[in-house]
Amino acid sequence: MLELKGLHLKEGDFDLRADLGLRAAGRYAVIGPSGAGKSTLLDAIAGFRPLVSGAVSWNGQPFTDLSPAERPLAMLFQDNNLFPHLTVDRNLALALRPDGGRIGAEGREKIAQALADVGLAGMGGRKPAQLSGGQQSRAALARVVLQERPIMLLDEPFSALGPALKAEMLDLLAKVADRLQALVLIVTHDPNDARRFAPETVLVSEGIAHAPQPTGPLLDNPPPALAQYLGGA
Ligand SMILES: Nc1ncnc2c1ncn2[C@@H]1O[C@H](COP(=O)(O)OP(=O)(O)OP(=O)(O)O)[C@@H](O)[C@H]1O
């Protein structure tokens, strides 16, 4: 279980609080108005933002004091964070050896397997610019898969893709998360993404990241702040 206990985050005048638990291997959407603090929440869990107070723990072990790389999680950002000057294989090798060191036969096999998992078998020699937008998303997802962490955080990962491709990527994400038995927390602006991917949703609004609620009922009958946002989306 990923637990956010008495979490208080502050960014200028902006405050966000969270007290909630997320099940291992669960799939959750994070939804809420623009500026509500969805990215702030993910960044804090990942260790890119300091906490004012509170603790984050995984299976009872607090990891608030660990650096981002030491935390039991992998994060995928909207811009895919692939290095443009490196081949896909080299980009993926960095997931296994963040220090840039050489990887052995076992590592190469893992990379080939991750590429096959996301439908990019044989494309490891290309640079990101030689891939389509959808293929770049797949490569970035392969990088997260390779890290084999029990928690995957995705901040609007596929928003640049068209609806059909996005749906395909969400299904692929569900498949790989299932294989790794990873907990997935995905920020999205699209209620259809949440319905498709996540049985439960964390609503972030009015300074609070709320405990997860069943996605369908939340979206069918949204509280006013969410209704206004969804209506204007
Ligand atoms: N570096 C910063 N300095 C001051 N305020 C910030 C900073 N970063 C974010 N904020 C404020 O924190 C609040 C939450 O921002 P955040 O990016 O987490 O929202 P979000 O829900 O992810 O929004 P969006 O859906 O538009 O991406 C916003 O009100 C924003 O203005």
Side-chain angles (χ1 to χ4, degrees), residues 43-105:
D43 288 353
I45 296 171
F48 297 120
R49 280 173 199 263
L51 311 180
V52 176
S53 57
V56 187
S57 66
W58 175 242
N59 295 338
Q61 301 279 337
F63 58 80
T64 320
D65 295 332
L66 300 183
S67 70
E70 293 168 321
R71 297 184 178 214
L73 52 87
M75 185 147 176
L76 179 61
F77 299 93
Q78 187 175 2
D79 63 2
N80 287 332
N81 55 354
L82 293 169
F83 291 107
H85 59 293
L86 299 178
T87 63
V88 170
D89 276 339
R90 292 296 303 157
N91 266 289
L92 296 188
L94 283 173
L96 296 175
R97 288 285 306 262
D99 61 356
R102 288 188 70 80
I103 51 158

Side-chain angles (χ1 to χ4, degrees), residues 2 13 35 54-55 65 67 72 94 103 113 115 142 156-157 184-186 209 212 214:
L2 173 65
D13 297 342
D65 295 332
S67 70
L94 283 173
I103 51 158
Q113 176 60 48
L115 284 174
E156 294 185 60
V184 182
L185 202 52
I186 181 170

Side-chain angles (χ1 to χ4, degrees), residues 202-228:
V202 172
L203 170 66
V204 180
S205 77
E206 293 160 340
I208 297 174
H210 297 268
Q213 317 169 52
T215 301
L218 173 68
L219 293 174
D220 290 342
N221 198 2
L226 183 61
Q228 192 184 13

Side-chain angles (χ1 to χ4, degrees), residues 8-54:
H8 179 196
L9 312 171
K10 197 167 184 60
E11 196 68 74
D13 297 342
F14 175 76
D15 286 278
L16 184 70
R17 288 185 162 80
D19 238 315
L20 56 93
L22 305 173
R23 271 175 294 104
R27 298 208 303 259
Y28 300 91
V30 181
I31 207 161
S34 183
K38 302 179 294 293
S39 298
T40 302
L41 178 69
L42 257 66
D43 288 353
I45 296 171
F48 297 120
R49 280 173 199 263
L51 311 180
V52 176
S53 57

